[in-house]
Amino acid sequence: MKAMGTLKQYEVIGRKQPSEKEANPPLYKMRIFAPERIVAKSRFWYFLRHLRKFKKMTGEIVSVKEIPETSPTRVKNFGIWLRYDSRSGTHNMYREYRELSVAGAVTACYRDMGARHRARAHSIQIIRVQEVAAAKCRRPQVKQFHDAKLRFPLPKRIEQKHTLPRFSHVRPKTYFM
């Protein structure tokens, strides 16, 4: 899988094709993060082939739908449990991100894993994604934003061109401390 652009969250439901032995086979539902529907279906078959004893040839997809974010305007903390294959072996990992959506956190995770660990997108498997309360966060890069008195001062400001006079005998003041 290539993690191009921002990933979306899909719910894919599939099952084994009905036969004489099994008239009503059980349904399998997965949350897949992929850039588009076709890739989500492909990843579904990839994971199901490893978990159960059937593949795309002997199965069918019942539904594929994109899951929208419930509150896309509120910043949340997300914990992501994942497993990835490196050059030396397979590793389990827990990571935390502060994002607006689940898909945004997973996209940031793919980018971060590629940058820090040189992990390719096809070797990363997202096990679980969960919203984490501020008190339960573990990582300092996420905890630093939980301060209620957090401020981002703007020490250097340059005024807009249309508010400045065309000619002036005084240099503009850009530092306001």
Side-chain angles (χ1 to χ4, degrees):
M1 174 181 95
K2 288 195 180 206
M4 304 174 298
T6 55
L7 301 177
K8 297 173 193 141
Q9 185 180 9
Y10 291 96
E11 181 186 74
V12 184
I13 302 172
R15 66 177 184 172
K16 212 175 205 179
Q17 285 180 344
S19 62
E20 293 91 28
K21 281 186 190 176
E22 205 171 9
N24 197 6
L27 294 170
Y28 298 99
K29 179 169 81 169
M30 283 188 196
R31 275 183 3 180
I32 305 283
F33 296 95
E36 53 189 24
R37 291 171 59 96
I38 297 161
V39 179
K41 289 197 269 190
S42 173
R43 293 299 284 173
F44 174 78
W45 289 122
Y46 170 79
F47 290 124
L48 209 61
R49 198 169 51 237
H50 292 290
L51 294 171
R52 296 285 177 256
K53 200 162 173 87
F54 68 94
K55 54 188 178 184
K56 185 178 178 182
M57 191 72 184
T58 58
E60 64 181 358
I61 289 188
V62 177
S63 83
V64 179
K65 58 182 172 182
E66 189 177 336
I67 301 172
E69 184 62 34
T70 53
S71 55
T73 57
R74 186 172 63 91
V75 178
K76 299 168 279 292
N77 305 312
F78 292 103
I80 299 177
W81 287 262
L82 61 99
R83 133 184 217 228
Y84 79 101
D85 297 321
S86 71
R87 295 181 183 115
S88 60
T90 305
H91 311 282
N92 293 321
M93 197 177 279
Y94 169 75
R95 303 185 74 80
E96 283 180 355
Y97 295 95
R98 191 165 165 83
E99 285 284 337
L100 293 170
S101 66
V102 180
V106 172
T107 303
C109 180
Y110 271 94
R111 302 289 179 263
D112 202 28
M113 289 297 294
R116 292 179 195 270
H117 301 279
R118 299 291 184 261
R120 306 293 182 260
H122 62 83
S123 67
I124 299 171
Q125 296 177 7
I126 303 293
I127 297 168
R128 186 170 66 163
V129 180
Q130 185 178 344
E131 191 174 333
V132 181
K136 302 250 181 180
C137 284
R138 305 182 210 169
R139 305 292 186 251
Q141 67 264 23
V142 173
K143 286 169 102 176
Q144 69 183 349
F145 292 106
H146 292 162
D147 186 12
K149 296 179 181 173
L150 184 69
R151 292 175 55 210
F152 297 100
L154 298 170
K156 184 172 181 174
R157 284 176 243 160
I158 298 169
E159 291 187 36
Q160 300 279 325
K161 287 254 189 213
H162 60 80
T163 59
L164 293 172
R166 187 167 296 212
F167 301 106
S168 177
H169 65 282
V170 183
R171 285 180 178 251
K173 293 178 182 157
T174 57
Y175 288 93
F176 302 96
M177 293 298 268

